[in-house]
Amino acid sequence: MQKRCTPRSLGLWMGQMPAGPANDITDVPGVCVGNVSIVQGGGPLVPGRGPVRTGVTAILPRPVNLYRQPCRAGIEVFNGYGKSIGVPFIQEMGILNCPILLTNTLSVNDVANGVITYLLQQNPKIGDDDRTPNIVVMECDDSYLNDIRGRHVKPEDAIIALHRASIGPIEQGNVGAGVGMSCFQLKGGIGSASRLVQDQSGRRYVVGILALANFGLLRDFLLSGVPVGQILSVPGVGHIPGSLILVGMTDAPLSRWQLNQLARRASLGMGRTGSITMTGSGDFCLMVSTNSCEYNDYLSDWELDEFFRAVVEASAESIWNALFLARTMEGRDGHIRHALPIEETLQILRNWQMLQ
């Protein structure tokens, strides 16, 4: 079995800025990630029975009761084909008052039910205090490999993922919501990256991104500016327009409007990988600040440029990491998503003089 490793560890240039210690979203203090992966059966598709290639990923911005102590948040929709829930409230109010869950398209409601149960257990006053939580569940379509009609992710799986959430380094590739995902017609999944940012007074902050990568045509795939997807010998078959969900965290004291600006820049990172955000692709970026500062303590807008750079770099690297760390998977009806062939990819980069 070919060893899977990150492009950074192979010497590929991933940008100008320094990465955090683990180079993933949990470099942001307090952020925790949990997964439930469901892999069952093989052979022909029998709707409701399998084969099953799916899961759920939970992201907790900080170890507090978010319903009582919400975070500021901003969200950008690059392409609105997705079926995520909880977006309008964040757009209107600029806050996040629940964990973030990722899963497949037809399991959104089951996962939402699990999150509701989790929050009700934490907060006996919900329903009696004139407030309700805004449930956030974001999705991609894993039906090329998975029996998506079977809705095999259940409410209890969401609760388990929430209870499993822990600090990193996180697992990447074929894990959680990424189990059945495809990216550039190769095996995709969960990827993550981080960047360290220093403000004008010398204070250092972290920007972390987690990607659920499930989009794109092989011919569009770029790595370090090289059209690798047009040269690879691996077949790119069975295209189903997918989606990209990017979840960003930072401990910087940013306003909801500044977080919107950061979320908007994530599409530039997606573009670095070759995506054109196709019509059938639902592409979102949710940015969250874990910093509980007061209004007057926000960073100046003039200090945001390095945060923009961090988001662009970490978004691109998180997608590349999902590809490099995913493994070949066979799913329903003999459908196969091949892992990115690392040695062939490196040779292409050498031929283009992009790698020693």
Side-chain angles (χ1 to χ4, degrees):
M1 180 181 292
Q2 186 181 36
K3 181 180 179 181
R4 310 305 295 179
C5 47
T6 65
R8 177 179 292 270
S9 69
L10 295 168
L12 276 69
W13 185 81
M14 293 285 104
Q16 301 177 28
M17 304 185 71
N23 193 27
D24 74 42
I25 194 171
T26 60
D27 286 331
V28 180
V31 175
C32 294
V33 176
N35 295 290
V36 169
S37 305
I38 309 173
V39 179
Q40 299 170 356
L45 172 66
V46 181
R49 294 179 59 186
V52 185
R53 305 287 188 271
T54 195
V56 58
T57 296
I59 306 164
L60 281 69
R62 55 190 187 194
V64 299
N65 186 331
L66 291 168
Y67 178 69
R68 296 297 179 189
Q69 301 176 61
C71 298
R72 289 178 306 283
I75 194 163
E76 178 71 11
V77 179
F78 318 146
N79 191 43
Y81 194 84
K83 290 87 176 175
S84 298
I85 65 173
V87 174
F89 178 87
I90 297 172
Q91 290 173 322
E92 183 70 20
M93 302 301 297
I95 64 170
L96 176 78
N97 62 4
C98 72
I100 303 155
L101 279 290
L102 310 177
T103 191
N104 75 68
T105 307
L106 298 189
S107 293
V108 167
N109 289 335
D110 288 305
V111 169
N113 282 333
V115 179
I116 290 169
T117 299
Y118 173 85
L119 291 172
L120 290 175
Q121 292 170 346
Q122 277 193 333
N123 300 278
K125 292 295 185 180
I126 287 178
D128 293 330
D129 60 0
D130 297 323
R131 291 192 298 167
T132 53
N134 176 56
I135 307 303
V136 178
V137 183
M138 310 183 86
E139 54 75 34
C140 292
D141 182 353
D142 60 12
S143 59
Y144 185 71
L145 296 176
N146 178 47
D147 170 28
I148 196 170
R149 288 175 60 90
R151 294 179 291 170
H152 297 279
V153 181
K154 303 302 182 184
E156 54 267 30
D157 294 315
I159 296 171
I160 293 170
L162 286 162
H163 285 298
R164 285 181 179 174
S166 62
I167 60 173
I170 69 167
E171 189 176 356
Q172 300 180 52
N174 302 7
V175 62
V179 165
M181 300 301 173
S182 307
C183 190
F184 294 112
Q185 297 176 288
L186 301 168
K187 187 65 187 73
I190 295 291
S192 192
S194 69
R195 293 294 185 272
L196 303 178
V197 184
Q198 188 168 292
D199 70 9
Q200 294 176 357
S201 65
R203 291 173 297 185
R204 179 170 283 190
Y205 301 106
V206 185
V207 174
I209 298 285
L210 183 145
L212 180 59
N214 186 63
F215 65 91
L217 294 173
L218 180 60
R219 70 170 188 249
D220 293 327
F221 173 48
L222 297 176
L223 180 58
S224 296
V226 177
V228 170
Q230 295 187 24
I231 306 170
L232 286 173
S233 60
V234 63
V237 297
H239 171 66
I240 297 175
S243 298
L244 172 68
I245 302 298
L246 294 169
V247 177
M249 298 282 162
T250 182
D251 56 350
L254 302 178
S255 72
R256 57 179 293 196
W257 308 116
Q258 292 171 326
L259 292 164
N260 282 338
Q261 290 178 280
L262 265 63
R264 195 169 302 128
R265 268 65 180 187
S267 63
L268 300 176
M270 186 182 185
R272 284 190 179 188
T273 70
S275 171
I276 61 168
T277 63
M278 300 175 72
T279 300
S281 188
D283 305 317
F284 297 72
C285 180
L286 170 62
M287 287 294 308
V288 179
S289 172
T290 64
N291 190 301
S292 57
C293 72
E294 298 298 327
Y295 173 80
N296 290 332
D297 293 328
Y298 295 148
L299 293 180
S300 164
D301 290 343
W302 294 103
E303 296 188 74
L304 293 184
D305 284 349
E306 287 304 291
F307 288 91
F308 296 160
R309 190 185 311 279
V311 168
V312 173
E313 289 189 6
S315 295
E317 187 173 4
S318 66
I319 295 166
W320 287 323
N321 282 345
L323 283 162
F324 271 75
L325 294 171
R327 296 184 180 276
T328 296
M329 176 171 281
E330 181 175 343
R332 49 165 284 197
D333 298 321
H335 291 176
I336 295 177
R337 284 300 190 210
H338 294 280
L340 177 73
I342 291 179
E343 287 304 320
E344 183 182 359
T345 299
L346 296 179
Q347 187 57 52
I348 291 169
L349 293 175
R350 292 187 193 104
N351 293 344
W352 280 63
Q353 298 183 341
M354 298 299 294
L355 187 67
Q356 295 296 322

